[in-house]
Structure formats: structure tokens, C-alpha cells
Amino acid sequence: MLIMLSGVGITQASILDLKITEIMYNPKPDAGQLEEDLEFIEFKNTGLTEINLKSLVLSNAVLYIFDKDEILAPGGMLVLVSDSNVFHERYPLVKVAGQYTNKFSNKGEKLYVKAGSDTLIEFEYKDDLPWSSLADGNGYSLVSVEINPIGEPSKPEYWRNGARLNGTPGEESETALEFPDVWINELLSHTDLPEIDAIELFNNSLIPADISNWFLSDSKSNPYKFQFPSGTIINSGEYLVVDETDFNNLGSGFRFNRSGDEVFLYSGDNQNNLTGFSTGWAFEGQYNGVTFGIHVSSDGDKHFLPQEENTLGFINSNPIIGPLVISEINYNPSNLDYEYLTVENITDTIVDCFHSEHPDLGWKISGVGFDFPANTKLKANELVFVTAANPTDFRLKYNINNTVQVFQYSGKMSNNGEELSVWRFDRMDTTETGETFMPKVLMDGVHYNDALPWDVLADGHGNSLKRISKTSFGDEVENWEGTPLFISNEITKTIPHLEFSLFYEKKIIYSSGVEGILTVFDFNGKVCKKEQIRAINGTFTLNESDGVYFYLFESEEGMKSGKLVKK
């Protein structure tokens, strides 16, 4: 299928095979060098035909215009740099295609590759966890996990730090080095004497993990605060607990900020070099004596959550849930509905939704910018609505009487998915310099998404996301009602918009570059219409009742593309 990119005359299907495969955004300079002069970005043609990059523009973070023919062969790589002279001091044999203007932000920012008004690549790299801390000023670059990546580059799992110090511009990234699978599994960060901060490591490998000369730190800019002695070994499936008597001996190391902090584990050698492995967590405040621990959800993701019990040295306990939880999310309503979420008190007692000593400081819901009003209370098992709409209009729309509390937030939920969290407060304190602080403590959170396995019918098709168990972990997709089985099965077998595009106005308008069959199903799997499509534009009218339908196009070569449409 040929793809016309508007305004620049490019008709290359192969242009979509252009990928960014390495970024050195925060290099570690040698003596006499500046870090910004050693930046680079690497492009790769991951396809089977050559690409001409003429007229493409790399923009936003940095700026480079391909103003002449630049042919990239299949498998070929191209490197742009911030300063070609300084770059060649470190990489004398690497061919440079050009020098961009501006500098990459060390804090992360968006990158675009455009052809006229068409955006070919858009993503935001970041410098905070779970993105690699080794790539943020510690000498390593970000490289794509796959040699020929096909995923979403805005997601941290698309990237890893490279295996070689200073990166591999213009060549394939080396295979990731093999390290034992050691987790920072549990952590105690808020301790009033006589308790002291502690960190638990867990060896998830099948063999013993030798962590001799590895480093622990609370700072990615200073990874070397505590080094494990030679001979430190964690057997398979076992734990190692260290506390402040180890990593803060005589106050020379570090201890955690009870308002929230970070923790990092780095592999190292006996010459005090970092050797390519890092892991870590960022965490918020917590009550005295409560630990954070890893909880693995059904999708394999790890979450670092407050635990019901301190289990340092033993298997983790369950995460703390509540007393307030999010039970329903209507993030992308239809035109006639309102955006809202519901919050429930899952306890059998009244909950004060404010700081115990400062009733004017209400608990918070992040993601929508909401603070509970002063002196708000939730009765036992009470459900309340929190909406973007005017509360009076919301009550009229859904016939909600005045016995049910309805609150209005100032923000807006993302239609693409985001994290929503409910927070309460720890005690208020003052620092040695007299500054007041009040740590916030997580009660519940969910990072919903608009794609499977989440209910895709909640993305503008009339459904809302509904939680199944209020007392089970909220950021678990299996704890939310899912997509009807037929649609879920079909979507997993398709590639969105691979061979055709669909637009809904008064009719369905299709545009296909190849021949194939377009079939329309209702969400129960009933075939509503089936039609042969030729390689021309045309219209396709559906004479069914209003509702949600699944359009499935299958080319003669067997490629499938699907789209949900609300009529």
C-alpha cells in the first residue's frame, strides 16, 4: 500500500519503517568536554526497501531538516549529533549525517519526525523511573529493546540502557548483558526511632546472585553511596535485608525522606565502575513503620505498594487498599453523557476526608485535580460522584437526589488512559529550617487504558469502566469489567488501520488501497453486512439500529484490520 504524505510528495510505504533506535540525551563527558556536545540520535531503516529522508524534519527537542536526498538502505543507520567535532573525539570512526540545533533536555521531552503536516514519529522520552537511570548522566544511552522495534516509543518498555558505556552510535546495539534478576523487593522509609530505614533485596533468579561491589543509593546522580562488599551472594529465591547500620553507617551514607524518595540498585565492579544493570523505585510518603513491597499484577507488571504487614526477609504481604477506592470511571463519555468517576468508602465506619489536625486540607484525587472540600465526611460504605460537570446538571441528568454527594473537579481525564489515585495525609511536620511539610499517602490507584485488555467500549462507545472487587488491588485490569468476548478476540487478531481507513459521518466511508472483504459485526458477533471492497474509494451504508459495531477488513493476502464504530 502506498502512503501519500501531504505536502511533500513522498509516496513511500517504506517511510513507516524509519525508527529511532538510540538516543544519548545526557552523556557523561570526559575532562575538558561538555555533556551537551556529546549528544546523538540514531535512526534505522527497519524495512526491506530503501528510504529517502529528504523533506523530513526532526523537531521540538532539537531541530534538523533533511533538505537534500539522504538514502537509507535496508538495515542502514544514520546518526545526527549536537557537535560533530567533539563527537568525533569520542567516536572517530562513526559517520555523521548532520548536526542538529538546540540540545536534548536532561529531564526528558517530546520528539517529532514530520513530513510536511504528517507526523511519522512522536514520542516523549523521560528521565524518571521506570526509565533507565543509567541513561541519565551515568554514561549509557537509551537503545530500543528490539533490533527492529515495532512498539510504542513513548513507553519505557520500548527502551533499555545500552550494554556498552558511551553507547553504540551507527551500529547495532549489543545484546543486553546478562545479570541476575535481583529485585528491590521491600523497603521501610518512614521510621521513628528506635526503628531505622531498611531495604530488602530478592533474588528471582534460578541461580545464586553475586552482587559483590554493587551499589545502593537514593540518588541517580550519585549512585555510589553504598557498596556491597566482595563475597555478597543471595541464593536463589532468598532475601537480603540491609538497614541504616549498613547504608548509613555513622551518617555517612543515606536515609530516606518520609515524604517520598527514590531507591536505586546498580551493578558495579571492584574499580567502582557501573557495569550496565540498574533497577529502582520512586515512592511517596507512608505512615511510620509501614513498608512498601512489590506486588505483581496479572499482566506481569510490578507495582511498589504500601503493605498490610512489614515482611522484611519474608514473602510480601498484600497491598493496603482503601479506605477510599475508585469504583467506576467514565473517562470518554458519549456526546450526551458526562465525564465522572465514583469513589467509595469500603469500611464500616465514617471516614473524615481531611487532615485530622487541619480540616480545611481535604484529601486529594490526582489525575483530575480534585481536593475534597473542608470537613467532608463519607459515611460507612458511602459512594460519591466526582465529575467534570456542574453538579446541578449532573444530578438532573442522572436523577441523583440530594442525599448523594456530588463534587466537581477542575481537570479532565485523558481519553488515551492515565493514572488516577486517591491520597490522604500523614502527620504534618517541620524541617530543621522551619519549612512545613505534610506527606501524602496512597489509598488507591488505577492506571486505566483505552486499549485491550481494558474495555474498549468505554472509549467513547457508551460504557464506563466498572471495578469488580472494591477490596482487591485497583491497578489490576482483571479487576475491571472487560470488553465483550467476541470483540476482544477479533481485535487481538487485527492490526489497526493496516490496510484501510474508516471515517464515520452520516455514512461509513472507506478508503482501501487493496481488494478484500469488509464485514460488519455487532458486539455479540452477529454479521450485519458483508461486502467486497475494490481498490477504489467508496461508501458503505449500515442500515442497522444505533449501537456499537466492529468493522473488520481482510485483504486477499489475509491481513486483517479492525475498528470499532459507534453509530
Side-chain angles (χ1 to χ4, degrees):
M1 180 175 64
L2 293 180
I3 298 175
M4 173 61 75
L5 300 172
S6 61
V8 294
I10 296 176
T11 55
Q12 307 175 76
S14 58
I15 197 69
L16 299 181
D17 295 322
L18 182 67
K19 306 293 182 182
I20 296 174
T21 50
E22 187 170 4
I23 306 171
M24 179 66 86
Y25 71 89
N26 188 6
K28 188 173 184 178
D30 295 325
Q33 296 175 330
L34 298 176
E35 63 180 47
E36 58 263 30
D37 293 337
L38 290 164
E39 295 177 358
F40 66 82
I41 184 169
E42 174 191 273
F43 292 86
K44 181 181 180 182
N45 177 1
T46 62
L48 300 176
T49 58
E50 67 180 24
I51 302 174
N52 188 348
L53 305 185
K54 183 179 180 181
S55 299
L56 298 188
V57 178
L58 170 67
S59 64
N60 197 58
V62 296
L63 178 64
Y64 185 81
I65 300 172
F66 291 91
D67 55 3
K68 59 184 179 182
D69 288 333
E70 185 73 59
I71 306 300
L72 198 56
M77 295 179 173
L78 177 148
V79 178
L80 302 177
V81 305
S82 57
D83 188 307
S84 58
N85 291 327
V86 179
F87 178 86
H88 277 127
E89 292 176 6
R90 174 170 285 180
Y91 314 96
L93 301 181
V94 177
K95 180 182 177 181
V96 171
Q99 183 172 299
Y100 53 74
T101 57
N102 302 328
K103 307 295 180 184
F104 286 117
S105 170
N106 292 346
K107 298 296 184 182
E109 61 187 326
K110 279 194 173 183
L111 284 173
Y112 298 95
V113 177
K114 295 188 176 184
S117 60
D118 296 285
T119 300
L120 303 180
I121 300 173
E122 175 185 353
F123 75 96
E124 182 179 5
Y125 70 90
K126 296 182 180 180
D127 76 325
D128 52 0
L129 293 167
W131 292 73
S132 172
S133 59
L134 284 172
D136 189 16
N138 287 312
Y140 290 83
S141 61
L142 286 176
V143 300
S144 58
V145 171
E146 297 175 336
I147 294 176
N148 295 317
I150 58 174
E152 171 52 59
S154 284
K155 295 183 177 179
E157 55 264 30
Y158 180 99
W159 302 96
R160 61 175 173 88
N161 57 265
R164 189 193 305 174
L165 190 66
N166 295 328
T168 53
E171 59 182 285
E172 295 286 6
S173 299
E174 296 177 356
T175 303
L177 299 175
E178 292 189 9
F179 291 93
D181 187 15
V182 179
W183 301 357
I184 300 176
N185 193 55
E186 191 171 355
L187 178 144
L188 181 59
S189 60
H190 178 181
T191 53
D192 297 341
L193 292 174
E195 289 189 283
I196 54 176
D197 295 356
I199 302 168
E200 173 196 273
L201 304 184
F202 172 67
N203 179 11
N204 192 51
S205 307
L206 297 177
I207 59 175
D210 186 347
I211 61 168
S212 299
N213 305 307
W214 286 27
F215 297 94
L216 272 176
S217 181
D218 63 343
S219 169
K220 62 184 173 182
S221 62
N222 182 8
Y224 311 101
K225 290 190 175 183
F226 170 73
Q227 188 171 31
F228 288 96
S230 179
T232 303
I233 295 174
I234 311 175
N235 290 324
S236 175
E238 294 190 357
Y239 304 89
L240 172 66
V241 178
V242 292
D243 60 29
E244 282 191 72
T245 62
D246 301 297
F247 57 77
N248 194 31
N249 188 30
L250 302 177
S252 61
F254 65 94
R255 70 187 312 267
F256 296 113
N257 186 332
R258 75 175 183 87
S259 293
D261 214 329
E262 295 179 315
V263 61
F264 301 92
L265 175 68
Y266 297 95
S267 63
D269 61 23
N270 59 9
Q271 301 298 314
N272 291 335
N273 298 310
L274 302 180
T275 57
F277 170 84
S278 69
T279 186
W281 293 105
F283 51 91
E284 296 287 347
Q286 194 45 255
Y287 295 118
N288 179 51
V290 177
T291 62
F292 291 92
I294 285 181
H295 175 81
V296 182
S297 52
S298 62
D299 55 8
D301 285 350
K302 300 186 189 77
H303 307 263
F304 207 49
L305 302 168
Q307 298 196 126
E308 292 177 346
E309 297 180 45
N310 179 329
T311 57
L312 289 165
F314 302 94
I315 189 169
N316 287 356
S317 67
N318 293 323
I320 295 173
I321 309 296
L324 301 188
V325 302
I326 298 168
S327 56
E328 185 178 359
I329 305 170
N330 195 22
Y331 68 90
N332 187 10
S334 63
N335 292 334
L336 299 177
D337 290 319
Y338 292 128
E339 177 183 300
Y340 68 87
L341 55 88
T342 61
V343 174
E344 293 189 39
N345 172 10
I346 61 173
T347 73
D348 294 326
T349 59
I350 295 174
V351 171
D352 296 335
C353 302
F354 49 86
H355 192 281
S356 58
E357 299 175 2
H358 302 274
D360 57 320
L361 296 177
W363 291 356
K364 298 176 178 292
I365 303 177
S366 61
V368 293
F370 176 74
D371 294 356
F372 282 96
N375 293 297
T376 299
K377 299 176 182 286
L378 264 63
K379 298 187 293 292
N381 302 302
E382 181 179 0
L383 179 148
V384 301
F385 290 89
V386 190
T387 176
N390 177 283
T392 301
D393 295 338
F394 188 86
R395 290 182 187 278
L396 290 173
K397 170 68 178 177
Y398 297 104
N399 193 28
I400 297 172
N401 63 46
N402 289 331
T403 64
V404 178
Q405 298 189 80
V406 178
F407 304 100
Q408 184 176 14
Y409 54 77
S410 59
K412 185 183 187 304
M413 288 187 276
S414 170
N415 292 344
N416 299 318
E418 66 175 324
E419 185 171 2
L420 302 173
S421 303
V422 189
W423 303 87
R424 53 182 169 176
F425 298 116
D426 192 7
R427 69 173 189 262
M428 184 177 290
D429 261 336
T430 55
T431 66
E432 294 179 355
T433 59
E435 297 175 355
T436 300
F437 68 98
M438 185 171 55
K440 60 180 184 178
V441 175
L442 180 69
M443 288 185 283
D444 186 49
V446 55
H447 196 149
Y448 69 89
N449 201 290
D450 66 339
L452 290 174
W454 292 88
D455 183 3
V456 296
L457 297 184
D459 188 20
H461 298 295
N463 281 8
S464 62
L465 298 175
K466 293 183 174 66
R467 189 168 180 158
I468 298 170
S469 170
K470 312 298 192 307
T471 57
S472 297
F473 180 45
D475 204 7
E476 168 61 76
V477 64
E478 292 188 354
N479 196 24
W480 295 80
E481 294 180 7
T483 304
L485 185 60
F486 165 74
I487 292 179
S488 176
N489 288 340
E490 287 300 320
I491 289 178
T492 58
K493 295 185 290 187
T494 67
I495 303 174
H497 320 306
L498 177 69
E499 296 290 349
F500 79 122
S501 56
L502 288 174
F503 305 92
Y504 181 72
E505 292 177 354
K506 293 182 179 178
K507 296 180 178 180
I508 300 299
I509 304 171
Y510 63 78
S511 174
S512 178
V514 295
E515 295 185 357
I517 300 294
L518 179 63
T519 308
V520 180
F521 302 87
D522 67 16
F523 66 83
N524 292 315
K526 174 187 173 183
V527 176
C528 300
K529 192 164 185 176
K530 192 170 187 176
E531 182 172 301
Q532 178 78 25
I533 294 182
R534 303 296 178 184
I536 56 174
N537 292 334
T539 60
F540 187 75
T541 306
L542 180 65
N543 295 316
E544 297 290 328
S545 58
D546 291 350
V548 177
Y549 298 89
F550 183 70
Y551 286 71
L552 178 67
F553 175 79
E554 184 171 4
S555 72
E556 292 181 340
E557 292 77 20
M559 302 297 289
K560 292 183 178 181
S561 180
K563 184 178 179 69
L564 281 172
V565 175
K566 185 176 182 182
K567 180 176 182 290

